[in-house]
């Protein structure tokens, strides 16, 4: 019995939201726009372009196309300065336990992320070889909640969508998994992720028995 297990990256495998926050805050403040943690929450799972559009809207700013491109590049350079310092110690608790369990039980594993920096981050935390397929922000044209990212992942794993399981920390990601007809597992707050088929605070709450049952389903 083989199923496809598709993992989101940011907020599921590593906590990069804190680095996105620092980089977006610095950028927003540089153009006299306030930026707080609550706003950062609303950028989870949201693409880089869409994130900047939201920040500009919050600050009532309108800028030229050229300036937009330059601000995006600035944000990413700053973000990468944090990413470059990442190491294995930043993998979220019990993620390796679940990945290992899936591997020894011959399950198919993919990454499905909106980030264009996904491969770099996986290399930094030494997890790149854990994934048979990687679908990231460079491979998709439609952002979550569109299911494109997960459907490409399922195809690369040679699995039917209904035989795939998605781990996600964002509402848009859970919606994408549900639209794709996959089993959705929310990682985070149950009040926020209530549309998911199953919800856990983090991977320490997920037992290998639970995974075993999913594989049998
Ligand atoms: C993930 C994160 C978002 C981020 C997006 C794009 O979905 O949750 O906060 O904006 O990826 O990331 P990137 O690394 O391409 O800027
Ligand atoms: Mg995420």
């Amino acid at each position: 019995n083989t199923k496809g297990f598709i993992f989101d990256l940011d907020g599921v495998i590593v906590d990069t939201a804190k680095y996105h926050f620092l980089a977006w805050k610095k950028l927003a403040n540089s153009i006299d726009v306030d930026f707080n943690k609550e706003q950062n929450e609303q950028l989870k799972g949201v693409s880089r372009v869409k994130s900047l559009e939201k920040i500009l809207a919050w600050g009532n700013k309108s800028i030229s196309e050229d300036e937009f491109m330059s601000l995006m590049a600035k944000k990413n350079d700053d973000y990468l300065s944090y990413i470059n310092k990442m190491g294995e110690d930043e993998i979220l608790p019990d993620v390796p336990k679940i990945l290992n369990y899936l591997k020894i039980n011959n399950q198919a594993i993919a990454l499905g992320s909106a980030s264009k920096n996904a491969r770099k981050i996986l290399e930094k935390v030494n997890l790149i070889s854990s994934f048979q397929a990687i679908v990231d922000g460079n491979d998709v044209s439609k952002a979550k909640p569109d299911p494109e990212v997960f459907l490409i992942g399922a195809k690369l794993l040679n699995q039917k969508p209904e035989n795939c399981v998605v781990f996600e920390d964002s509402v848009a990601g859970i919606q994408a998994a549900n639209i794709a007809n996959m089993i959705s597992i929310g990682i985070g707050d149950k009040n926020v992720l209530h549309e998911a088929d199953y919800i856990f605070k983090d991977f320490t709450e997920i037992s290998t028995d639970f995974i075993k049952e999913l594989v049998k389903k």
Side-chain angles (χ1 to χ4, degrees):
N1 240 19
T2 301
K3 276 202 160 58
F5 287 81
I6 309 178
F7 291 75
D8 174 46
L9 176 67
D10 297 283
V12 169
I13 292 174
V14 285
D15 173 24
T16 42
K18 59 186 180 214
Y19 302 138
H20 281 296
F21 174 70
L22 291 172
W24 280 130
K25 187 172 171 60
K26 186 169 167 185
L27 187 96
N29 293 168
S30 78
I31 52 168
D32 289 317
V33 174
D34 290 331
F35 186 70
N36 61 37
K37 293 247 163 167
E38 285 71 52
Q39 288 165 312
N40 195 52
E41 279 303 304
Q42 295 182 48
L43 300 184
K44 279 189 181 171
V46 176
S47 72
R48 201 181 306 165
V49 174
K50 286 264 157 60
S51 297
L52 182 53
E53 285 172 359
K54 274 179 184 261
I55 289 168
L56 294 172
W58 288 327
N60 272 315
K61 293 264 171 191
S62 75
I63 59 172
S64 70
E65 182 95 343
D66 281 355
E67 207 181 336
F68 191 96
M69 296 312 283
S70 124
L71 291 178
M72 291 243 294
K74 253 193 211 161
K75 186 270 174 178
N76 199 50
D77 284 349
D78 196 35
Y79 179 63
L80 286 177
S81 72
Y82 298 108
I83 298 310
N84 283 324
K85 291 183 211 135
M86 285 182 85
E88 282 175 40
D89 57 321
E90 292 196 52
I91 300 170
L92 288 168
D94 279 2
V95 168
K97 176 188 86 176
I98 299 300
L99 286 173
N100 283 335
Y101 181 83
L102 292 171
K103 190 183 175 189
I104 59 178
N105 287 284
N106 300 312
Q107 298 304 304
I109 309 173
L111 190 88
S113 166
S115 172
K116 295 191 170 176
N117 297 304
R119 280 175 189 274
K120 179 167 198 112
I121 293 169
L122 287 180
E123 272 161 15
K124 280 281 162 194
V125 300
N126 212 8
L127 280 181
I128 195 114
S129 61
S130 299
F131 296 87
Q132 277 149 261
I134 293 173
V135 190
D136 67 19
N138 302 294
D139 306 311
V140 294
S141 54
K142 289 169 260 170
K144 300 168 187 175
D146 189 284
E148 184 183 24
V149 61
F150 297 139
L151 291 173
I152 297 174
K155 202 167 204 170
L156 291 174
L157 294 179
N158 278 317
Q159 296 293 324
K160 289 183 188 148
E162 58 267 35
N163 283 328
C164 289
V165 177
V166 170
F167 297 98
E168 253 293 347
D169 72 314
S170 73
V171 175
I174 292 295
Q175 290 169 339
N178 290 343
I179 294 168
N181 206 13
M182 299 178 177
I183 298 171
S184 57
I185 303 190
I187 303 292
D189 188 330
K190 61 180 185 315
N191 298 313
V192 179
L193 302 173
H194 56 85
E195 289 171 64
D197 295 321
Y198 303 91
I199 309 165
F200 299 96
K201 195 167 56 61
D202 56 36
F203 281 92
T204 66
E205 286 191 346
I206 303 184
S207 68
T208 50
D209 281 347
F210 171 75
I211 302 286
K212 197 185 208 170
E213 288 307 312
L214 279 182
V215 172
K216 272 197 234 154
K217 259 184 155 208

